Amino acid sequence: MLSIEVNSLSKKFGKFLAVDNVSFNVNKGEVFGFLGANGAGKSTTIRMLCGILEPTSGDAKVGGFSVMNEPDKVKQKIGYMSQKFSLYNDLTVEENINFYGGVYGLFGEKLNERKKWVLKISDLKGKENLITASLPGGIKQRLALGTAVIHNPAIVFLDEPTSGVDPIARRQFWELINDISDRGTTVLVTTHYLEEAEFCNNIILINAGKLIAHGTPATLKKDYLKNKIIEIECDDPVSAMNILSKEPFVDDTSIFGNNIHLSVNEIYNSKTQISDSIKTNNKINIKRIDPIVPTLEDVFIHLLEKGK
Amino acid sequence: MRIILNIIIKEFLQLKRDPKLFGVIFIAPILQLILLGYAATMDVNTIHFSILDRDKTTTSRQFIEKFTKSGYFTEEANVNNYKEAENLIDKGKTILTLVIPKDFEKDINRKLTAKVQAIFDGSNGNETSIAAGYVQGIVASYSNKLLLDVQNKSEKKIQNLSTINPEIRIWYNPELKTRKFMVPSILGLLLMVITIILMSMAVVKEREIGTLEQVIVTPIKPIQLIIGKLVPFIIVGFIDIILVLSVMVFWFDIGIRGDFFFLLFSSLLFVLSTLGLGLLISTISKTQQQAMMVAQFAVMMPMIYLSGFTFPIENMPQIIQYITYLIPLRYFITILRSVILKGTGFVELLPQVGMLFFLGVVILTASILNFRKRLN
Ligand SMILES: Nc1ncnc2c1ncn2[C@@H]1O[C@H](COP(=O)(O)OP(=O)(O)O)[C@@H](O)[C@H]1O
Ligand SMILES: [Mg+2]
């Protein structure tokens, strides 16, 4: 069953095309990853899906309602956590929960029950009277997520919920996203951390407003990356990369930490091609050359290079 | 209804958490009224002037003494010609030159009309007109004294003894007059400043921190959001007006002659337009700083100048006078002055009340429509 159907959605700001004819579907109950660099058009797309921003052309059905014609009905179905911090910093934890619960029409017993749940998932039981500004970043994000789904929406949109949060808190946050999805809520989450894509059931990748890849993490690796990936560890990765990028057997190069990743095509046959290339040109000391299983990051870098 | 109440509670909680804002709302108006109330009495205390005495007689010196001993005038110099007098005015040393012509004493003794000339620096209209009032007053009192002298000497009753224009006498006691006149309008000014500033921050602040976007994704209706934001500031406005009225009554001893509840009712009508303007500013501004600038320079300053608070409306060019009809503060100041000082009632002030209501409804409705359009 489909939760979200996006049909040729576009958004122009003046003459600038921020979202360019994007179409995709999201299944009920899945965690759907929306990836792209800063400025790719992720937030703009989400805003249109939430009924805050009117599309320039195209339409989308969210929870069965058109964002173009029935944005008010869409709002009844969804939860949203905006990219900016969305809680009131000067209110206490409980006051924030009461306020957001209240605007969603939760009062009395129902509110209390949901409040307990929000406090539980954000580890804030007994700390209801703390001022929100004083909470650590990871806790704040979980509280924000809790308030965004306090009314048990069918669909929740999370716009870069893990940006600026430390890695441990990010992992905890993803566990929470999985919990929410397990209860049957559809989660559409944007991120620019490519490694987070592995936690999603389905992914789309968007670049400069255009959708450039779509699929599960596994199919993306299989379908989009026919090339082998070779990892090289050496003394001077930047010079080595400059040399290698000129070789005909290399399609694209990227640096991961101290290592170089080469995407090599069918002309490539053995490691010696690489070591020869580096040695004939310079005196860089090679420590290791290994073929590796491509990560999603390799896929995306390959796709983004191709898109240029 | 519950949703609106929910927003109102939130606004008050935020207000409570912000001690600076709390001070701005409840302490600043009281201090400002006290300060401005005193400033309003200090407009003209000493008028620096020079004397061109061409008569140089006992009578002319006696006449000059009336000025120097009045407490309002300070003699800067005795000049010999117009050129010197003009120099002093140009340098800003004096704003007035008193010219006593030759034959001043002779004319008086012959019971002819004696003439004196007073030359003013007109560049500060307000100060000049007050100084001119003092001059007229002193001259009138002096001629009164001369008449009395003549009467005493001749022991004849002179019928025209009471021809001195009583209006001039008002200027003898400007302290009380100015303050009484100014304090009620300062009250209107303060209510305007507080409500416009608070409201102009209300929406843009939430836009800046990002909560506005979060709130408009909820099923809340824009009108609920606006009412939830307006009501707290209407309440704050009422608390302020009561605070400031108390300062007026108990500190400055200016009683309210008219109906207190009529005063509150007109304040409510007035804040409809100021909150509407605040909402408009808040909706069109991108940052709080921008909203502050627009509120100060594009809205409040013109409002103050065009309301008749600083300059009398009758002295403005005709076109500008027409514009003042659109300024809510103009009507509110009239109502405040009339109700507080004269005890005027609702019926006499119906045109002003009607205009306040009309402007309030128009401005607020336009702002709400604009806010709804901007959200979508
Ligand atoms: N309201 C707006 N007016 C003009 N340009 C905008 C507006 N919102 C976003 N943009 C532009 O659209 C592009 C996509 O922005 P956004 O959707 O926020 O990207 P992302 O969320 O992927 O980082 C950016 O270049 C941004 O500058
Ligand atoms: Mg974004």
Side-chain angles (χ1 to χ4, degrees), chain A residues 13 16 18 37-44:
Chain A
F13 293 114
F16 174 69
N38 278 328
K42 304 183 295 295
S43 298
T44 306

Side-chain angles (χ1 to χ4, degrees), chain B residues 321-339:
Chain B
Q321 286 197 28
Y322 288 134
I323 299 176
T324 65
Y325 288 118
L326 298 173
I327 305 293
L329 185 59
R330 175 197 166 143
Y331 303 105
F332 190 48
I333 286 184
T334 308
I335 293 176
L336 284 170
R337 282 180 180 161
S338 315
V339 175

Side-chain angles (χ1 to χ4, degrees), chain A residues 274-289:
Chain A
I274 295 175
S275 45
D276 288 351
S277 168
I278 295 180
K279 273 176 194 152
T280 52
N281 284 286
N282 212 319
K283 294 198 172 58
I284 298 168
N285 185 24
I286 303 167
K287 288 178 184 147
R288 178 170 68 82
I289 300 177

Side-chain angles (χ1 to χ4, degrees), chain A residues 80 84 86 88 95 99, chain B residues 6 17 206 208 213-214 216:
Chain A
Y80 170 59
K84 277 194 183 172
S86 53
Y88 293 91
E95 286 161 358
F99 173 70
Chain B
N6 194 39
R17 293 279 150 67
E206 294 220 19
E208 235 178 28
E213 183 158 315
Q214 193 66 41
I216 57 180

Side-chain angles (χ1 to χ4, degrees), chain A residues 37-44 47 83 159-160 190 192:
Chain A
N38 278 328
K42 304 183 295 295
S43 298
T44 306
R47 284 203 178 103
Q83 186 173 358
D159 196 358
E160 302 209 11
T190 77
H192 63 256

Side-chain angles (χ1 to χ4, degrees), chain B residues 52-213:
Chain B
L52 177 49
D53 187 357
R54 290 192 157 143
D55 198 39
K56 296 204 167 69
T57 56
T58 330
T59 312
S60 74
R61 272 188 289 276
Q62 210 179 28
F63 179 67
I64 292 165
E65 223 167 61
K66 286 278 164 204
F67 284 84
T68 51
K69 292 201 169 152
S70 70
Y72 297 117
F73 293 86
T74 306
E75 184 187 334
E76 287 294 324
N78 239 311
V79 295
N80 297 315
N81 51 45
Y82 280 103
K83 192 79 207 148
E84 280 177 48
E86 198 184 319
N87 261 335
L88 287 172
I89 286 181
D90 286 349
K91 283 184 193 148
K93 289 242 161 69
T94 61
I95 64 157
L96 160 68
T97 298
L98 203 62
V99 185
I100 301 169
K102 236 176 155 40
D103 301 336
F104 178 72
E105 190 181 56
K106 248 188 231 163
D107 284 345
I108 287 175
N109 290 338
R110 284 194 214 128
K111 303 194 172 52
L112 294 175
T113 305
K115 285 178 186 148
V116 292
Q117 191 180 24
I119 303 166
F120 287 99
D121 172 10
S123 57
N124 182 344
N126 216 17
E127 197 179 0
T128 304
S129 65
I130 290 173
Y134 291 158
V135 171
Q136 284 183 44
I138 289 175
V139 172
S141 120
Y142 185 68
S143 52
N144 191 9
K145 182 185 158 289
L146 288 178
L147 281 170
L148 276 170
D149 285 353
V150 171
Q151 189 190 18
N152 287 343
K153 268 185 216 158
S154 59
E155 294 184 346
K156 260 193 261 162
K157 191 136 180 95
I158 293 172
Q159 289 302 317
N160 282 352
L161 201 62
S162 58
T163 52
I164 295 145
N165 189 347
E167 295 220 357
I168 294 164
R169 293 199 60 95
I170 296 167
W171 297 102
Y172 275 115
N173 187 13
E175 260 90 358
L176 257 180
K177 178 71 191 169
T178 325
R179 181 184 292 163
K180 263 201 154 175
F181 196 59
M182 292 306 276
V183 165
S185 32
I186 294 172
L187 211 130
L189 212 70
L190 289 176
L191 186 64
M192 175 188 83
V193 171
I194 289 285
T195 47
I196 288 193
I197 290 204
L198 279 182
M199 194 62 212
S200 66
M201 294 296 121
V203 176
V204 72
K205 189 170 123 204
E206 294 220 19
R207 194 201 309 279
E208 235 178 28
I209 56 176
T211 44
L212 184 67
E213 183 158 315

